[in-house]
Every structure is written in C-alpha cells, then in structure tokens.
Amino acid sequence: MDELPLDQVRTLLAVVDEGTFDAAAAALHVTPSAVSQRVKALEQRTGRVLLMRTKPVRATASGEVVIRFARQLARLERDARAELGMADGAGPVRLPIAVNADSLATWFLPALARVPQDPPVCVELHREDEAHTTELLREGQVMAAVTSSPDPVAGCASRLLGLARYLPVASPGFAARHLTGDPERDLRVAPTIVFDRRDDLQDAFVRDLTGDPAGGAGAVRHSIPTSEGFRDAVVAGLGWGLVPEQQSRPLLRAGALVLLVPRRPMDVPLYWQQWKLDSPALSAVAEVIGEAAREALRRPSVTGP
C-alpha cells in the first residue's frame, strides 16, 4: 500500500472525533469541501471505504485501522515534542484507558493514585465490561485496557495481571426463600442480578456448576449497571449474583451475605493490553497497574482454587 499522507490521516481522525464533515472542517480551519476531498483521496489510496456516512460519522473496520494509526502517531508526536522541550503550554499527558466496572470499584483507582505526576498525567477512563474493552482498543479510542481477552489487538501487547475472584452469594433472606434445596437446580430458576444484558458471568457459573453447556441462570434477571449497585442489590435480596471477593468478604463476615456454593469461586483472568508505543507516561501507568494487580488479584495455580 502507498504511504498514507499525514494530512489525510489527521483529517479522517478529525471527522470521526467531531462526528460530521462540517464539524471537522471547523476544527481543522478548512472548508467542508477540503475535508471531503481528503477523505475521498485517502479512501482511493487505500482502496477501502473508511467511513460510514451516517450521523454521527462512523469508521468502518478498515477505517478503525487508520484511526488507530492516527492516534498512535499523535501520541508519538507529542512525546517527541516533550523530549525536545517543545511541549510548553501543551498541558498534561492524556491517557484514555478502558477498565471493567468491578476493577474500577475495587483496586484500580487506588492504583492510579500512585502514578507519578512529573510530567502531569490525566487519565480518561472508559468503563466497559472486561469481555468488551478490547473493542475500544481496536477502534483506537483508548491506549490501554483491562480485559479478559489474552489475544492482543493488532498493534498491542498483552500480559496477564491476575485472577479476579468472584463468590456466588445472596442475602440470608433470599437464600431462605429461593435456595433451600440443591444449588444446581435452584440457581437455574432463582432471580438473578446481572450487570447488563451482555453480562454472562452468572450463566457461565451455572453452566460450570451443572455441567450443562446449554444451561444458565434463571429467567428473572435484574440489570444493575454499576459494581456498587450490583453488590447492594444482592445485599437487599433482589437476587443472587457473583460479587467480587474484595466486596463480598466483609459482608459475609458481617452476616449480610451467605455463600451459596462453598469452595466454588469463579476466577476471571484479567489482562493488560496497551499500544506498542515507546511512551513514558503509558509505561509508567502500566508499571503501577501491574504492581497493584499483583497485590489485589490472585495468582494462577495449577492445583486449582
């Protein structure tokens, strides 16, 4: 493929970020016609349709590749300017990171407090389910992500952080009403708390417990889209659910929750994926996150949980 003209690449990024050709033209201080011509020229050069002309504009799969390249190029340019002493007045380094809600509610935020602030770093967090954070990496919206996927996104490196342990719990009153017999049977029908419609954790636990690959949790599902709200809904007796160990242990000791299936935790591997860039700020954040994960998450064991 021919080289990608940087003005065309930056224009494509502006269109995606601003949402329309007119808004991109205003941001770039050029005419909408010039923006359109640059995008068309880039599409002709790559031989691919890069944008879906919707409102707002969206990148195609091929467009996402170019967008990711554009964001990485901008990051490299900024780092180079900083090393050359040309970054005065440019403001702090901005690092967009995708992270799942449970990590955000337990160990991730205290870790960020350890990130060195010389130069200043602004972290922009995107909350997403751990099974879907790589989508934001693939689209170029974030530079790093906590994810359950070990397979690195193109242009990214991946390493294991540890195992996030979840415990199947419910309130004592809920357990007395709905879980009085065989857990393998009761958990198939009892009301369940889920994070959102894409949350498969409770279903996966039931399938593992019963050995039925076609099974799952009950049909009555309450969607609670925050980690703290999920925990509180289980404590309130709205349903049963898998609550992070860091959140559930104190409540188990206090008697606010009961463990439904002893010695059957659910361990979810978490990985850190990030752009393959020589970025000091990104490297500093990655080092801090790795240290915090070693303290907060469990280590894989060949002997089982």
Side-chain angles (χ1 to χ4, degrees):
M1 183 176 65
D2 292 337
E3 66 179 31
L4 302 177
L6 298 186
D7 63 328
Q8 296 176 9
V9 170
R10 291 189 177 105
T11 299
L12 183 75
L13 177 60
V15 173
V16 171
D17 283 348
E18 299 298 330
T20 67
F21 282 70
D22 288 345
L28 296 172
H29 306 291
V30 298
T31 65
S33 176
V35 170
S36 179
Q37 290 173 9
R38 290 178 188 178
V39 171
K40 288 180 181 178
L42 187 58
E43 289 181 323
Q44 290 172 354
R45 184 175 291 270
T46 59
R48 307 286 181 90
V49 175
L50 302 176
L51 290 179
M52 290 181 282
R53 270 68 170 178
T54 55
K55 289 188 177 181
V57 170
R58 293 174 56 198
T60 64
S62 296
E64 289 174 359
V65 174
V66 181
I67 292 299
R68 187 168 63 247
F69 166 69
R71 295 196 194 281
Q72 292 174 344
L73 182 67
R75 176 75 270 154
L76 286 172
E77 180 180 12
R78 178 164 187 156
D79 287 345
R81 289 175 61 85
E83 290 186 34
L84 292 170
M86 301 169 60
D88 291 344
V93 176
R94 186 183 70 88
L95 294 181
I97 299 172
V99 60
N100 61 307
D102 290 334
S103 293
L104 193 60
T106 52
W107 62 273
F108 197 83
L109 287 180
L112 290 181
R114 307 181 194 175
V115 175
Q117 289 296 313
D118 185 20
V121 176
C122 287
V123 175
E124 179 184 295
L125 295 182
H126 297 248
R127 190 187 66 184
E128 182 56 271
D129 184 85
E130 63 270 15
H132 302 283
T133 47
T134 52
E135 295 175 9
L136 300 181
L137 267 177
R138 191 171 293 107
E139 295 168 359
Q141 294 188 40
V142 298
M143 297 174 64
V146 175
T147 174
S148 60
S149 173
D151 301 322
V153 171
C156 294
S158 175
R159 63 184 175 90
L160 179 66
L161 291 173
L163 304 177
R165 173 159 290 188
Y166 291 80
L167 301 179
V169 293
S171 70
F174 180 90
R177 292 192 304 272
H178 296 280
L179 305 167
T180 57
D182 180 3
E184 294 188 16
R185 179 196 65 213
D186 294 343
L187 292 181
R188 291 175 182 245
V189 296
T192 307
I193 307 297
V194 296
F195 189 82
D196 56 27
R197 292 184 178 181
R198 298 197 293 184
D199 179 10
D200 186 54
L201 197 61
Q202 282 66 221
D203 290 316
F205 177 80
V206 173
R207 289 194 295 267
D208 182 65
L209 181 67
T210 62
D212 181 5
V220 178
R221 297 166 182 247
H222 304 290
S223 297
I224 313 293
T226 70
S227 183
E228 297 86 352
F230 186 107
R231 174 203 60 201
D232 292 346
V234 175
V235 172
L238 200 58
W240 77 276
L242 287 152
V243 175
E245 184 177 37
Q246 296 98 321
Q247 293 178 327
S248 57
R249 287 295 184 193
L251 295 168
L252 287 167
R253 289 193 293 267
L257 291 176
V258 294
L259 191 61
L260 302 182
V261 188
R263 296 179 295 280
R264 288 298 294 264
M266 186 81 169
D267 288 339
V268 177
L270 293 180
Y271 298 83
W272 175 259
Q273 292 202 31
Q274 69 176 62
W275 288 355
K276 291 180 179 178
L277 288 182
D278 185 16
S279 169
L282 183 57
S283 297
V285 170
E287 181 177 355
V288 167
I289 294 303
E291 291 174 355
R294 285 190 290 273
E295 298 169 5
L297 303 179
R298 289 179 172 265
R299 298 292 94 196
S301 172
V302 296
T303 58

mmCIF file of all heavy atoms in Angstrom, residues 97-104 125-136 142 145-147 195-196 198:
data_model
loop_
_atom_site.group_PDB
_atom_site.id
_atom_site.type_symbol
_atom_site.label_atom_id
_atom_site.label_comp_id
_atom_site.label_asym_id
_atom_site.label_seq_id
_atom_site.Cartn_x
_atom_site.Cartn_y
_atom_site.Cartn_z
ATOM 1 N N ILE A 97 -8.024 5.055 28.921
ATOM 2 C CA ILE A 97 -7.879 3.653 29.331
ATOM 3 C C ILE A 97 -9.267 3.056 29.536
ATOM 4 O O ILE A 97 -10.144 3.688 30.138
ATOM 5 C CB ILE A 97 -7.070 3.539 30.635
ATOM 6 C CG1 ILE A 97 -5.658 4.118 30.445
ATOM 7 C CG2 ILE A 97 -6.990 2.094 31.111
ATOM 8 C CD1 ILE A 97 -4.864 4.215 31.743
ATOM 9 N N ALA A 98 -9.468 1.835 29.056
ATOM 10 C CA ALA A 98 -10.726 1.121 29.268
ATOM 11 C C ALA A 98 -10.560 0.156 30.434
ATOM 12 O O ALA A 98 -9.556 -0.560 30.523
ATOM 13 C CB ALA A 98 -11.123 0.353 28.009
ATOM 14 N N VAL A 99 -11.537 0.122 31.324
ATOM 15 C CA VAL A 99 -11.452 -0.740 32.503
ATOM 16 C C VAL A 99 -12.845 -1.230 32.864
ATOM 17 O O VAL A 99 -13.841 -0.520 32.671
ATOM 18 C CB VAL A 99 -10.810 0.017 33.688
ATOM 19 C CG1 VAL A 99 -11.624 1.249 34.057
ATOM 20 C CG2 VAL A 99 -10.622 -0.883 34.898
ATOM 21 N N ASN A 100 -12.923 -2.446 33.374
ATOM 22 C CA ASN A 100 -14.215 -3.002 33.766
ATOM 23 C C ASN A 100 -14.677 -2.419 35.096
ATOM 24 O O ASN A 100 -13.880 -1.953 35.907
ATOM 25 C CB ASN A 100 -14.144 -4.529 33.845
ATOM 26 C CG ASN A 100 -13.141 -5.014 34.861
ATOM 27 O OD1 ASN A 100 -11.978 -4.617 34.837
ATOM 28 N ND2 ASN A 100 -13.581 -5.874 35.776
ATOM 29 N N ALA A 101 -15.978 -2.450 35.317
ATOM 30 C CA ALA A 101 -16.570 -1.779 36.476
ATOM 31 C C ALA A 101 -16.085 -2.362 37.800
ATOM 32 O O ALA A 101 -15.863 -1.622 38.768
ATOM 33 C CB ALA A 101 -18.097 -1.861 36.402
ATOM 34 N N ASP A 102 -15.927 -3.683 37.889
ATOM 35 C CA ASP A 102 -15.527 -4.283 39.163
ATOM 36 C C ASP A 102 -14.101 -3.913 39.541
ATOM 37 O O ASP A 102 -13.808 -3.664 40.713
ATOM 38 C CB ASP A 102 -15.680 -5.806 39.097
ATOM 39 C CG ASP A 102 -17.141 -6.233 39.070
ATOM 40 O OD1 ASP A 102 -17.985 -5.475 39.589
ATOM 41 O OD2 ASP A 102 -17.443 -7.308 38.523
ATOM 42 N N SER A 103 -13.192 -3.873 38.564
ATOM 43 C CA SER A 103 -11.827 -3.417 38.862
ATOM 44 C C SER A 103 -11.855 -1.961 39.297
ATOM 45 O O SER A 103 -11.148 -1.551 40.220
ATOM 46 C CB SER A 103 -10.933 -3.579 37.629
ATOM 47 O OG SER A 103 -10.739 -4.943 37.308
ATOM 48 N N LEU A 104 -12.686 -1.170 38.621
ATOM 49 C CA LEU A 104 -12.792 0.257 38.937
ATOM 50 C C LEU A 104 -13.284 0.463 40.366
ATOM 51 O O LEU A 104 -12.845 1.388 41.064
ATOM 52 C CB LEU A 104 -13.740 0.922 37.934
ATOM 53 C CG LEU A 104 -13.768 2.444 37.866
ATOM 54 C CD1 LEU A 104 -12.408 3.001 37.497
ATOM 55 C CD2 LEU A 104 -14.808 2.893 36.836
ATOM 56 N N LEU A 125 -10.886 7.539 31.842
ATOM 57 C CA LEU A 125 -11.356 6.167 31.962
ATOM 58 C C LEU A 125 -12.634 5.928 31.163
ATOM 59 O O LEU A 125 -13.557 6.741 31.192
ATOM 60 C CB LEU A 125 -11.607 5.824 33.426
ATOM 61 C CG LEU A 125 -10.367 5.812 34.338
ATOM 62 C CD1 LEU A 125 -10.761 5.411 35.749
ATOM 63 C CD2 LEU A 125 -9.298 4.884 33.792
ATOM 64 N N HIS A 126 -12.660 4.813 30.469
ATOM 65 C CA HIS A 126 -13.844 4.350 29.740
ATOM 66 C C HIS A 126 -14.290 3.058 30.410
ATOM 67 O O HIS A 126 -13.575 2.056 30.368
ATOM 68 C CB HIS A 126 -13.516 4.087 28.270
ATOM 69 C CG HIS A 126 -13.080 5.303 27.514
ATOM 70 N ND1 HIS A 126 -13.834 5.869 26.509
ATOM 71 C CD2 HIS A 126 -11.964 6.064 27.618
ATOM 72 C CE1 HIS A 126 -13.195 6.925 26.021
ATOM 73 N NE2 HIS A 126 -12.059 7.061 26.683
ATOM 74 N N ARG A 127 -15.458 3.064 31.032
ATOM 75 C CA ARG A 127 -15.935 1.862 31.732
ATOM 76 C C ARG A 127 -16.641 0.939 30.741
ATOM 77 O O ARG A 127 -17.552 1.351 30.018
ATOM 78 C CB ARG A 127 -16.898 2.255 32.855
ATOM 79 C CG ARG A 127 -17.253 1.100 33.777
ATOM 80 C CD ARG A 127 -18.316 1.502 34.756
ATOM 81 N NE ARG A 127 -19.583 1.770 34.075
ATOM 82 C CZ ARG A 127 -20.685 2.222 34.687
ATOM 83 N NH1 ARG A 127 -20.649 2.494 35.969
ATOM 84 N NH2 ARG A 127 -21.793 2.435 34.010
ATOM 85 N N GLU A 128 -16.203 -0.311 30.711
ATOM 86 C CA GLU A 128 -16.783 -1.290 29.803
ATOM 87 C C GLU A 128 -16.565 -2.678 30.392
ATOM 88 O O GLU A 128 -15.641 -2.900 31.188
ATOM 89 C CB GLU A 128 -16.116 -1.181 28.422
ATOM 90 C CG GLU A 128 -16.655 -2.111 27.347
ATOM 91 C CD GLU A 128 -18.149 -1.970 27.124
ATOM 92 O OE1 GLU A 128 -18.891 -2.694 27.829
ATOM 93 O OE2 GLU A 128 -18.568 -1.165 26.280
ATOM 94 N N ASP A 129 -17.437 -3.620 30.042
ATOM 95 C CA ASP A 129 -17.280 -4.995 30.502
ATOM 96 C C ASP A 129 -15.931 -5.542 30.061
ATOM 97 O O ASP A 129 -15.468 -5.254 28.953
ATOM 98 C CB ASP A 129 -18.412 -5.859 29.934
ATOM 99 C CG ASP A 129 -18.366 -7.280 30.434
ATOM 100 O OD1 ASP A 129 -18.897 -7.558 31.516
ATOM 101 O OD2 ASP A 129 -17.775 -8.121 29.730
ATOM 102 N N GLU A 130 -15.301 -6.354 30.939
ATOM 103 C CA GLU A 130 -13.957 -6.844 30.632
ATOM 104 C C GLU A 130 -13.894 -7.681 29.355
ATOM 105 O O GLU A 130 -12.836 -7.813 28.731
ATOM 106 C CB GLU A 130 -13.387 -7.661 31.802
ATOM 107 C CG GLU A 130 -14.148 -8.927 32.143
ATOM 108 C CD GLU A 130 -15.244 -8.695 33.169
ATOM 109 O OE1 GLU A 130 -15.618 -7.521 33.411
ATOM 110 O OE2 GLU A 130 -15.732 -9.687 33.726
ATOM 111 N N ALA A 131 -15.041 -8.244 28.952
ATOM 112 C CA ALA A 131 -15.060 -9.030 27.724
ATOM 113 C C ALA A 131 -15.146 -8.147 26.479
ATOM 114 O O ALA A 131 -15.004 -8.642 25.357
ATOM 115 C CB ALA A 131 -16.245 -10.006 27.740
ATOM 116 N N HIS A 132 -15.348 -6.860 26.666
ATOM 117 C CA HIS A 132 -15.567 -5.972 25.518
ATOM 118 C C HIS A 132 -14.633 -4.765 25.488
ATOM 119 O O HIS A 132 -14.741 -3.937 24.587
ATOM 120 C CB HIS A 132 -17.022 -5.490 25.514
ATOM 121 C CG HIS A 132 -18.029 -6.605 25.473
ATOM 122 N ND1 HIS A 132 -18.330 -7.300 24.327
ATOM 123 C CD2 HIS A 132 -18.767 -7.170 26.458
ATOM 124 C CE1 HIS A 132 -19.224 -8.239 24.599
ATOM 125 N NE2 HIS A 132 -19.512 -8.186 25.881
ATOM 126 N N THR A 133 -13.726 -4.645 26.461
ATOM 127 C CA THR A 133 -12.830 -3.484 26.473
ATOM 128 C C THR A 133 -11.892 -3.470 25.268
ATOM 129 O O THR A 133 -11.449 -2.404 24.838
ATOM 130 C CB THR A 133 -11.992 -3.441 27.766
ATOM 131 O OG1 THR A 133 -11.437 -4.738 28.016
ATOM 132 C CG2 THR A 133 -12.843 -3.016 28.951
ATOM 133 N N THR A 134 -11.586 -4.652 24.714
ATOM 134 C CA THR A 134 -10.687 -4.680 23.559
ATOM 135 C C THR A 134 -11.322 -4.021 22.333
ATOM 136 O O THR A 134 -10.611 -3.602 21.418
ATOM 137 C CB THR A 134 -10.284 -6.124 23.205
ATOM 138 O OG1 THR A 134 -11.453 -6.933 23.085
ATOM 139 C CG2 THR A 134 -9.358 -6.704 24.257
ATOM 140 N N GLU A 135 -12.647 -3.931 22.314
ATOM 141 C CA GLU A 135 -13.299 -3.247 21.198
ATOM 142 C C GLU A 135 -12.861 -1.786 21.140
ATOM 143 O O GLU A 135 -12.650 -1.228 20.054
ATOM 144 C CB GLU A 135 -14.826 -3.334 21.336
ATOM 145 C CG GLU A 135 -15.380 -4.757 21.230
ATOM 146 C CD GLU A 135 -16.868 -4.821 21.486
ATOM 147 O OE1 GLU A 135 -17.499 -3.735 21.571
ATOM 148 O OE2 GLU A 135 -17.408 -5.934 21.618
ATOM 149 N N LEU A 136 -12.710 -1.163 22.306
ATOM 150 C CA LEU A 136 -12.274 0.235 22.350
ATOM 151 C C LEU A 136 -10.825 0.360 21.905
ATOM 152 O O LEU A 136 -10.445 1.348 21.272
ATOM 153 C CB LEU A 136 -12.462 0.795 23.757
ATOM 154 C CG LEU A 136 -13.893 0.785 24.301
ATOM 155 C CD1 LEU A 136 -13.942 1.387 25.703
ATOM 156 C CD2 LEU A 136 -14.833 1.538 23.380
ATOM 157 N N VAL A 142 -8.985 4.041 22.984
ATOM 158 C CA VAL A 142 -8.170 4.011 24.185
ATOM 159 C C VAL A 142 -6.777 3.498 23.846
ATOM 160 O O VAL A 142 -6.567 2.829 22.828
ATOM 161 C CB VAL A 142 -8.807 3.124 25.285
ATOM 162 C CG1 VAL A 142 -10.160 3.670 25.700
ATOM 163 C CG2 VAL A 142 -8.926 1.673 24.833
ATOM 164 N N ALA A 145 -6.109 -1.164 28.085
ATOM 165 C CA ALA A 145 -7.361 -1.707 28.595
ATOM 166 C C ALA A 145 -7.103 -2.854 29.544
ATOM 167 O O ALA A 145 -6.162 -3.644 29.359
ATOM 168 C CB ALA A 145 -8.247 -2.185 27.441
ATOM 169 N N VAL A 146 -7.947 -2.957 30.571
ATOM 170 C CA VAL A 146 -8.038 -4.151 31.394
ATOM 171 C C VAL A 146 -9.095 -5.028 30.735
ATOM 172 O O VAL A 146 -10.240 -4.597 30.540
ATOM 173 C CB VAL A 146 -8.443 -3.810 32.837
ATOM 174 C CG1 VAL A 146 -8.644 -5.092 33.650
ATOM 175 C CG2 VAL A 146 -7.399 -2.932 33.499
ATOM 176 N N THR A 147 -8.715 -6.244 30.377
ATOM 177 C CA THR A 147 -9.599 -7.085 29.582
ATOM 178 C C THR A 147 -9.487 -8.542 29.994
ATOM 179 O O THR A 147 -8.482 -8.952 30.600
ATOM 180 C CB THR A 147 -9.249 -6.953 28.078
ATOM 181 O OG1 THR A 147 -10.011 -7.886 27.313
ATOM 182 C CG2 THR A 147 -7.763 -7.224 27.831
ATOM 183 N N PHE A 195 -25.105 -7.506 35.464
ATOM 184 C CA PHE A 195 -24.627 -6.138 35.273
ATOM 185 C C PHE A 195 -25.393 -5.458 34.145
ATOM 186 O O PHE A 195 -25.870 -4.338 34.273
ATOM 187 C CB PHE A 195 -23.124 -6.158 34.978
ATOM 188 C CG PHE A 195 -22.499 -4.792 34.974
ATOM 189 C CD1 PHE A 195 -22.129 -4.181 36.162
ATOM 190 C CD2 PHE A 195 -22.269 -4.121 33.784
ATOM 191 C CE1 PHE A 195 -21.561 -2.921 36.160
ATOM 192 C CE2 PHE A 195 -21.690 -2.865 33.772
ATOM 193 C CZ PHE A 195 -21.330 -2.268 34.954
ATOM 194 N N ASP A 196 -25.483 -6.139 33.005
ATOM 195 C CA ASP A 196 -26.267 -5.662 31.878
ATOM 196 C C ASP A 196 -26.586 -6.864 31.007
ATOM 197 O O ASP A 196 -26.315 -8.009 31.374
ATOM 198 C CB ASP A 196 -25.541 -4.559 31.086
ATOM 199 C CG ASP A 196 -24.167 -5.002 30.591
ATOM 200 O OD1 ASP A 196 -23.954 -6.212 30.390
ATOM 201 O OD2 ASP A 196 -23.296 -4.137 30.406
ATOM 202 N N ARG A 198 -25.236 -7.974 28.438
ATOM 203 C CA ARG A 198 -24.072 -8.696 27.934
ATOM 204 C C ARG A 198 -23.337 -9.464 29.026
ATOM 205 O O ARG A 198 -22.388 -10.177 28.738
ATOM 206 C CB ARG A 198 -23.104 -7.727 27.247
ATOM 207 C CG ARG A 198 -23.704 -7.034 26.045
ATOM 208 C CD ARG A 198 -22.650 -6.424 25.153
ATOM 209 N NE ARG A 198 -21.939 -5.312 25.780
ATOM 210 C CZ ARG A 198 -21.030 -4.578 25.164
ATOM 211 N NH1 ARG A 198 -20.703 -4.839 23.908
ATOM 212 N NH2 ARG A 198 -20.430 -3.571 25.782
#
